[in-house]
Amino acid sequence: MTSPSGIIDLRSDTITVPTPAMREAMARAEVGDDVFGDDPTVKRLEERTAELLGKEAAVFVPSGTMGNQIAIRAHTEPGDEILVEANAHIYYYEAGAPAALSGVMCRCLPGDRGVFTAAALEAALRPPDQHFPRSRLVCLENTHNRGGGKVWPLEELQSVAATARHHELRLHLDGARLWNAAVASGIPEREYAALFDSVNVCFSKGLGAPIGSAVVGTREFIARCRRFRKMLGGAMRQVGIIAAGALYALDHHRDRLAEDHANARRLAEGLAALPGVELRPGEVETNIVLFRVRRLKAADLAAQLEPRGVRVLALGPDRIRAVTHLNVSAADIEHALAAMAPLLR
Ligand code: TLP
């Protein structure tokens, strides 16, 4: 469905607006004070999410950033070290929160489009010694945002997880777009989740809900997360009105992510055929298309597309991100390509 604004907005899958049917479900939601545990819709969403991911419990949070950060806080103690890939959202885009909120150090691992090896993890681990911070938690991201929506190969994940377990490290997955990984690979979300102690999933990216994420894990771990959610002001009251949008998205918008992936592939193929573009279409596995421009600056391309009704995100001097989602149709992709072609030839 094209955006109601008529603009083809490829900046992010966070920009989707609720469909009329989703709004209807939100308007009808049964609500109560969730801090008292009285909101039946939030309860249903938490149960459903935990069940889908094969974990004991879930907690609903306002954003993916809060989900990741309360999980880090609940896994660690100040002075611990967490191991993250150098382009991970947790490290790159969460405003320094691991340092500010959990007092932990980030050790960055080199990755290939977000994917790192068990050997890279092994090489970064600290032996137990009073001089060193304690290596405590490994965080992975699937799909990987700055890796261009890359899906972690399952064997690679299994080998990193086995190494982490061998060294008694905990594992957290930033699964903001785990739904996309599951659709692209055919591997159910719970199979990925089984390798982790905690997983953060977002309802407000490709699934198209306006707000919300959830963290899943053991009952005991989620109880700890609830305390940190409260501490950060993220415990909400009659929030079933929002949770209803997320429940609707889980029921109706997961399978359709395949359309977004097909649209991203079509966009990538069209762009790769233009001489001013550097892009390997084979690397586009889900809904994120990253490319470099040769003949003009990325910011200039974004600015020149705006009056033509197309929005993209300049990620660096020559790097552009375009993301497909619920409010971008196959016809919109052809329009976007037609708008970009004269500027990139
Ligand atoms: N990503 C946003 C921006 O913050 C960059 C986007 O437009 O892609 N994990 C991953 C992998 C994410 O991509 C995001 C959002 C989050 C966590 C944070 O989610 P929110 O925005 O709900 O805090």
Side-chain angles (χ1 to χ4, degrees), residues 12 14 63-65 68 89 93-94 141 145 174 176-177 205 321:
S12 182
T14 59
S63 70
T65 302
N68 283 329
H89 195 279
Y93 287 129
E94 298 190 7
E141 189 175 314
N145 182 344
D174 178 356
R177 296 187 181 82
K205 310 280 180 307
R321 182 179 85 160

Side-chain angles (χ1 to χ4, degrees), residues 227-267:
R227 203 172 137 253
F228 295 120
R229 180 186 70 166
K230 185 72 195 154
M231 203 180 276
L232 294 176
M236 299 172 283
R237 301 294 177 174
Q238 285 71 19
V239 71
I241 219 159
I242 290 172
L247 267 172
Y248 184 91
L250 280 180
D251 286 341
H252 298 93
H253 293 169
R254 273 161 61 224
D255 292 344
R256 67 150 304 286
L257 292 173
E259 281 174 45
D260 298 345
H261 300 173
N263 285 339
R265 269 196 304 279
R266 167 71 194 121
L267 179 65

Side-chain angles (χ1 to χ4, degrees), residues 53 55 142 151-154 157 173 178 180-196 199:
L53 290 158
K55 299 289 187 205
N142 192 22
V151 180
W152 265 80
L154 189 62
L157 260 184
L173 176 64
L178 188 61
N180 297 80
V183 164
S185 66
I187 297 167
E189 292 84 351
R190 56 167 53 225
E191 208 169 319
Y192 289 115
L195 299 167
F196 295 87
V199 182

